[in-house]
């Protein structure tokens, strides 16, 4: 079991609520208030989990500036009231930021009994293998 500090536990809660509000905001036809709350909670939760300094180092690395611009720009666009455009920008930035983690996540999911067998189906395997390839470092 991984031991978490109190601030990391708070961060996990904030991140979880942020993801919930983002998902719920999209379900309710891109409700801008829910999406804005979800964005704020997600970013704040991430800062609590990994710390402020590591959060700034992660987002503002030289090779991740484009991804950070899209992600934080999408958050800003949602906050000013254009939720659909903002979410599209955020999703693109999110995939650019976290593409180094996708092979790890796919490898983990493949070890889960039911999900692993679904990912190994012939017509799905080609797409999953392509998504699992990574030429970039995290």
């Amino acid at each position: 079991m991984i031991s978490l500090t109190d601030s990391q536990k708070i961060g996990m809660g904030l991140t979880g609520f942020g993801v919930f509000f983002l998902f719920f905001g999209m379900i309710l036809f891109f409700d801008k208030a829910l999406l804005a709350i979800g964005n704020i909670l997600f970013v704040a939760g991430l800062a609590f989990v990994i710390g402020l300094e590591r959060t700034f180092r992660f987002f503002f690395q030289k090779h991740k500036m484009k991804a950070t611009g899209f992600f934080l720009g999408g958050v800003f666009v949602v906050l000013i009231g254009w939720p659909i455009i903002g979410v599209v920008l955020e999703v693109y930035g999110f995939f650019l930021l976290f593409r180094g983690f996708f092979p790890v996540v796919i490898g983990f999911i493949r070890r889960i009994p039911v999900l692993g067998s679904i990912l190994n189906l012939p017509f799905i395997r080609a797409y999953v293998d392509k998504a699992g390839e990574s030429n970039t470092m995290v």
Side-chain angles (χ1 to χ4, degrees), residues 23 30 50 107 136:
F23 179 72
F30 293 94
I50 65 175
T136 60

Side-chain angles (χ1 to χ4, degrees), residues 65-136:
M65 290 305 287
K66 176 181 165 185
T68 300
F70 275 105
F71 183 75
L72 295 179
V75 170
F76 178 72
V77 169
V78 167
L79 289 175
I80 62 171
W82 295 334
I84 295 175
I85 296 169
V87 169
V88 168
L89 292 173
E90 281 181 49
V91 168
Y92 181 66
F94 180 84
F95 282 119
L96 289 179
L97 275 172
F98 295 102
R99 69 179 168 203
F101 294 114
F102 291 146
V104 175
V105 171
I106 289 172
F108 176 75
I109 292 174
R110 281 195 168 147
R111 290 188 205 118
I112 298 173
V114 175
L115 295 177
S117 60
I118 292 171
L119 291 182
N120 286 327
L121 291 173
F123 52 91
I124 296 176
R125 185 181 186 119
Y127 296 110
V128 173
D129 288 343
K130 187 158 180 88
E133 294 174 359
S134 176
N135 296 333
T136 60

Side-chain angles (χ1 to χ4, degrees), residues 9-86:
K9 291 176 186 175
I10 291 169
M12 293 294 287
L14 289 174
T15 304
F17 277 118
V19 170
F20 170 75
F21 277 106
L22 286 170
F23 179 72
F24 201 56
M26 285 190 269
I27 294 290
L28 294 175
F29 302 111
F30 293 94
D31 181 64
K32 57 185 166 188
L34 290 175
L35 290 173
I37 291 169
N39 284 327
I40 292 168
L41 289 175
F42 180 78
V43 173
L46 186 66
F48 268 94
V49 170
I50 65 175
L52 280 176
E53 181 182 345
R54 289 179 69 190
T55 302
F56 282 114
R57 273 192 287 159
F58 175 76
F59 278 108
F60 297 109
Q61 293 175 14
K62 196 170 199 172
H63 65 280
K64 291 185 179 181
M65 290 305 287
K66 176 181 165 185
T68 300
F70 275 105
F71 183 75
L72 295 179
V75 170
F76 178 72
V77 169
V78 167
L79 289 175
I80 62 171
W82 295 334
I84 295 175
I85 296 169

